[in-house]
Amino acid sequence: MGELFVDPTDPRPLTEQLYEQLRSAIVEGRLAPGARLAPTRVAAAELGVARSTVADAYGRLVAEGYVEGRRGGGSVVSAVPTTPTTMRRGAALSPTLAAASIEPYEPDPIPGATFDLRPGVVDEALFRASGWRRCMAQAAGQVSGHYTEPAGTPEVRDALAQWVTRSRGVVAVAEEVVVTSGAGHAVDLVARVLLEAPAVVAVEEPGYPPVVQLLRQHGHRVVGVPVDEQGIVVDAIPRDARLVYVTPSHQYPLGMVMTRSRRVQLLAWATAAGAAIIEDDYDSEFRHTARPLEPLQRLDRDGRVIYVGTFSKSLSPGLRLGFLVAPRSLVPALAAVRQVIDWAPPLASQAALTAFITGGHLDRHLRRSRIAYRERNRLLRETLETVLPPACRVLPAEAGLHLAIRWRPGEIPRDVHAATGTFRVGSLPRTYQFSEPQPGLLVGFGGLPTTSIPSACRVLAASLA
Ligand SMILES: Cc1ncc(COP(=O)(O)O)c(C=O)c1O
């Protein structure tokens, strides 16, 4: 009955008011055919009116065919033609230009697609076998009558600190960890806490478009800085940048690893400029070759690096779980900002993640997934190199779940997206936000079983030929 209201100052009789509201709800489709109206006794009690007032309104709706009386009591909505409310309402409000100009990045899956080779997709079967479901089922019983800690429960922060120290060499204790809804949310929190708009923020070009759009939303001047085979070109970072966002373990989208000397140079630059660095370590759990390099966060002596991790690749992007490790000077403000936005991460997800990490499921899942993804990476690369036209070059990638393909200069292919409706690949040009977009593709292999790789590559090659 949440739809119904009576207004004692309205000159119309109460029965008339109820009748009008119910009739509008039915013709506008808000009350669907078959929906049961609240019993007259219940509705009368909720609205504080006489039962006969409600009964008269229902009687009129029945008489006009909007509602049918059911044998044994009760009234249900009849099947009448509807006019959706949205078509009747005006458009007095419009979003800001900044909000309206955000282009969704790699939007919805396409139903019926044979292959979804976009970079964000992971293997559902591996995730299903990970034990997450059991941890989540147990965690569902965790209830609290209280709001919980904005930065995350002490248990999950401790589990994350120990895990990221052990697995990635990040220097972290629980008090420096903040649980977030993924990496994007972590960047959002850091930007809110560190920057006064308009600030200059440097990002890699090409790079990860959602972060650029997010920072622009905050009113900052975002500057694209070129990358070379060693990572971001430090000498090209504007002197007045307050924050630099980088993906050192596996540059998104091109895939190179930032060399140690470049890391040291970037840190020295940040010290000289008094700037902060966000190290987005979004997929380094999946390394396919040599040992990982030390994270920037570990090399940092000043407390200028905020390390960001996510479970979007290692578990599932649908979980919306990530974390950051921040210098202690920032943690109270990060927690306070989180509290005024949505208070805290969902308790059940945190409890499940704690059990998943401390019970050894995460390590086991990563061991299994690493083996599966490494094999896919190898086979995909080899097959693409055989079947793709000579104009294509598959870039080296030591980590992650996608490969980038570029075209040799002067060899521009037709648009692959337009060429086929049966599969989907990531777009390299879309990751250029500041300079002439370079043609190419991003081929994700997260959701592509080894047995499907040859046929997927053939379909891709055919669309390019
Ligand atoms: C560079 C980069 N960062 C982060 C993410 C994941 O973001 P989130 O944790 O918000 O899902 C992705 C996903 O593809 C990415 O490419």
Side-chain angles (χ1 to χ4, degrees), residues 122-141:
V122 306
D123 190 320
E124 277 177 32
L126 284 170
F127 176 48
R128 223 175 286 123
S130 69
W132 176 261
R133 199 170 131 165
R134 234 172 310 130
C135 293
M136 199 66 200
Q138 277 159 11

Side-chain angles (χ1 to χ4, degrees), residues 119-120 181-185 208 245 247 252 280 282 310-313 317 320-321:
S181 310
H185 182 218
Y208 184 50
Y245 164 84
T247 50
Y252 188 87
D280 181 357
Y282 64 105
T310 177
F311 292 97
S312 287
K313 304 280 180 180
R320 306 314 308 142
L321 272 175

Side-chain angles (χ1 to χ4, degrees), residues 28-280:
E28 288 167 7
R30 283 176 281 124
L31 272 176
R36 194 172 280 280
L37 298 188
T40 49
R41 185 179 40 77
V42 174
E46 271 185 28
L47 294 164
V49 300
R51 191 170 171 185
S52 58
T53 306
V54 181
D56 288 350
Y58 283 12
R60 190 165 160 200
L61 291 164
V62 171
E64 293 175 7
Y66 292 110
V67 164
E68 292 161 24
R70 280 279 154 91
R71 224 172 324 132
S75 309
V76 297
V77 174
S78 319
V80 290
T82 58
T83 317
T85 326
T86 45
M87 292 171 65
R88 291 167 23 103
R89 286 165 74 107
L93 305 180
S94 50
T96 62
L97 196 59
S101 58
I102 293 180
E103 264 182 68
Y105 188 57
E106 299 293 355
D108 321 328
I110 32 171
T114 328
F115 302 110
D116 193 343
L117 308 178
R118 289 175 303 162
V121 181
V122 306
D123 190 320
E124 277 177 32
L126 284 170
F127 176 48
R128 223 175 286 123
S130 69
W132 176 261
R133 199 170 131 165
R134 234 172 310 130
C135 293
M136 199 66 200
Q138 277 159 11
Q142 287 239 353
V143 288
S144 169
H146 300 274
Y147 285 95
T148 56
E149 299 89 339
T153 63
E155 294 77 18
V156 78
R157 293 169 81 192
D158 188 48
L160 282 165
Q162 292 199 32
W163 174 70
V164 78
T165 301
R166 179 162 46 79
S167 67
R168 285 293 291 123
V170 168
V171 186
V173 293
E175 293 71 25
E176 293 159 339
V177 174
V178 177
V179 180
T180 65
S181 310
H185 182 218
V187 176
D188 181 48
L189 289 175
V190 171
R192 286 172 192 268
V193 162
L194 267 186
L195 304 175
E196 300 229 25
V200 175
V201 183
V203 300
E204 296 165 324
E205 167 78 346
Y208 184 50
V211 162
V212 174
Q213 307 215 22
L214 167 66
L215 293 165
R216 284 189 179 141
Q217 271 288 298
H218 280 299
H220 301 307
R221 191 161 78 75
V222 189
V223 179
V225 177
V227 292
D228 63 18
E229 62 290 346
Q230 296 201 53
I232 194 165
V233 177
V234 174
D235 292 336
I237 302 175
R239 260 170 213 278
D240 53 351
R242 307 311 313 137
L243 175 69
V244 184
Y245 164 84
V246 283
T247 50
S249 311
H250 181 222
Q251 202 276 334
Y252 188 87
L254 296 178
M256 72 292 252
V257 177
M258 192 186 291
T259 56
R260 192 170 194 286
S261 61
R262 194 59 68 81
R263 291 174 195 231
V264 171
Q265 191 193 356
L266 177 60
L267 286 166
W269 177 90
T271 302
I277 298 172
I278 293 182
E279 174 175 28
D280 181 357

